[in-house]
């Protein structure tokens, strides 16, 4: 392909709401594969309404539309498998070997079912649920630590002096899938970065290596711009509100008054 040819020729459309982590999983892959894409950014409040609900009947981001193949796809794991199959033909982030291919898929499934939902629920019960239910918060925080323990154990079994990746000897889409939620780890647990990663040094080093890639940097720069356009701070809290506690109070007041002014922005 010459440098003037776009890959793919027609841009892949990706639908996102900027605050949550899942859309950035897909944007990062598009960036890392240097694919031609455009972003449709909209407010989190509109995720269960048309026009997005016509793209994803489940009303969750991300979703993509690929005019080059005519496919509309939602669920970030399915989007990963599609983009890798169709556009990672050089196997920059994947393997041709049968076992390695399925091990990558195994980790991707574990991330979508075993990491994302637990981090998401920990964030929800810590920051946004109207009541403070300590047992729910503890349950999900405990699961986060357990999941970090899984990657820690697997990485610790890799050769001592080699690069440590989940499958084989290079970063694949399987490693990448874990980054967006781990990027929010300290925020979800409401502790410092050092406390959040305490006990998981290899997982932290693995994560740090990935967030240092230029493609992740570009994705986060785009996030900052789109958050700013929607009047949101980095953590998803609207500008002008200083802390999550203040935000929680405003949400509770708004609920009581049945006012639609304060919108819940999930982290
Ligand atoms: N399993 C889905 C999860 C997607 C997801 O939950 N996205 C969040 C934003 S990070 C969302 O759209 N939430 C909408 C809602 O909770 O109504 C995936 O991996 O794509």
């Amino acid at each position: 392909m010459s440098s003037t040819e776009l890959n793919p020729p027609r841009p892949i459309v990706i639908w996102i709401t900027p605050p949550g982590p899942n859309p950035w999983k897909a944007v990062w892959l598009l960036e890392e594969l240097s694919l031609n894409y455009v972003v449709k950014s909209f407010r989190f409040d509109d995720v269960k309404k048309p026009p997005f609900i016509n793209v994803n009947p489940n009303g969750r981001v991300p979703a993509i539309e690929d005019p080059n193949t005519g496919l509309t796809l939602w669920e970030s794991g399915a989007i990963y498998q599609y983009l890798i199959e169709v556009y990672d033909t050089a196997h920059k982030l994947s393997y041709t070997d049968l076992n390695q291919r399925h091990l990558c898929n195994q980790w991707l499934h574990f991330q979508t079912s075993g990491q994302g939902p637990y981090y998401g629920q920990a964030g929800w019960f810590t920051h946004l649920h109207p009541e403070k239910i300590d047992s729910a918060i503890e349950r999900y925080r405990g699961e986060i630590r357990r999941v970090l323990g899984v990657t820690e154990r697997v990485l610790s079994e890799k050769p001592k002096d080699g690069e440590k990746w989940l499958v084989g000897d290079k970063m694949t889409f399987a490693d990448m899938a874990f980054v967006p939620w781990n990027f929010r780890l300290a925020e979800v647990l409401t502790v410092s970065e050092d406390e959040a990663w305490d006990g998981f040094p290899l997982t932290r080093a693995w994560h740090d290596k990935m967030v240092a890639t230029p493609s992740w940097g570009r994705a986060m720069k785009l996030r900052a711009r789109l958050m700013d356009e929607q009047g949101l701070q980095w953590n998803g809290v609207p500008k002008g509100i200083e802390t999550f506690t203040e935000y929680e109070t405003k949400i509770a007041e708004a609920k009581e008054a049945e006012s639609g002014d304060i919108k819940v922005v999930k982290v």
Side-chain angles (χ1 to χ4, degrees):
M1 195 173 55
S2 86
S3 60
T4 51
E5 269 177 75
L6 292 172
N7 177 32
R10 296 167 70 195
I12 295 168
V13 177
I14 177 161
W15 292 73
I16 70 162
T17 60
N22 286 297
W24 300 104
K25 182 173 148 189
V27 171
W28 184 26
L29 186 58
L30 292 164
E31 281 290 338
E32 181 61 22
L33 289 174
S34 304
L35 298 181
N36 179 19
Y37 73 98
V38 289
V39 171
K40 280 202 180 170
S41 171
F42 63 104
R43 301 191 81 86
F44 185 77
D45 316 54
D46 296 331
V47 82
K48 297 279 191 281
K49 299 177 195 162
F52 184 63
I53 199 82
N54 301 326
V55 176
N56 178 359
N58 190 35
R60 283 180 181 255
V61 285
I64 62 164
E65 294 171 297
D66 187 347
N68 304 282
T69 57
L71 185 65
T72 296
L73 204 59
W74 40 274
E75 281 296 318
S76 62
I79 293 170
Y80 257 43
Q81 288 179 308
Y82 169 75
L83 292 176
I84 289 291
E85 181 177 337
V86 178
Y87 296 111
D88 187 27
T89 46
H91 299 288
K92 180 183 179 198
L93 303 170
S94 59
Y95 295 107
T96 50
D97 174 77
L98 179 80
N99 290 8
Q100 287 186 312
R101 269 174 30 221
H102 285 276
L103 288 172
C104 285
N105 287 341
Q106 163 201 281
W107 283 108
L108 179 63
H109 282 274
F110 172 58
Q111 186 276 317
T112 56
S113 67
Q115 188 220 32
Y118 290 98
Y119 282 53
Q121 293 303 317
W124 173 268
F125 280 105
T126 304
H127 297 301
L128 297 174
H129 196 67
E131 297 155 51
K132 282 282 159 269
I133 306 174
D134 291 340
S135 55
I137 295 171
E138 278 322 301
R139 153 89 180 144
Y140 291 115
R141 287 187 180 177
E143 279 299 297
I144 289 177
R145 293 189 67 77
R146 200 188 61 72
V147 168
L148 289 169
V150 174
T151 48
E152 190 67 15
R153 177 179 174 157
V154 167
L155 294 171
S156 77
E157 287 163 358
K158 299 284 164 185
K160 282 260 173 301
D161 38 7
E163 288 223 359
K164 295 188 192 321
W165 301 106
L166 292 177
V167 184
D169 56 3
K170 66 181 182 196
M171 181 177 86
T172 66
F173 66 91
D175 303 285
M176 292 174 69
F178 286 83
V179 166
W181 269 117
N182 277 337
F183 193 64
R184 310 292 289 273
L185 179 65
E187 192 184 320
V188 167
L189 296 175
T190 52
V191 294
S192 69
E193 285 291 329
D194 284 342
E195 279 175 271
W197 291 105
D198 189 32
F200 310 105
L202 298 174
T203 303
R204 184 179 195 171
W206 167 69
H207 173 77
D208 285 350
K209 212 166 357 172
M210 291 191 277
V211 296
T213 56
S215 55
W216 177 257
R218 288 193 298 274
M220 288 304 92
K221 207 166 152 198
L222 177 62
R223 181 178 186 272
R225 180 157 71 77
L226 297 179
M227 293 288 279
D228 193 57
E229 273 176 23
Q230 294 194 3
L232 300 172
Q233 301 173 56
W234 182 254
N235 60 4
V237 170
K239 287 182 186 163
I241 297 180
E242 292 305 318
T243 61
F244 260 115
T245 316
E246 194 186 332
Y247 187 37
E248 284 160 17
T249 311
K250 298 240 179 201
I251 291 167
E253 283 168 6
K255 281 222 167 82
E256 224 157 80
E258 283 183 33
S259 149
D261 282 357
I262 304 292
K263 310 289 186 190
V264 175
V265 181
K266 205 168 177 179
V267 293

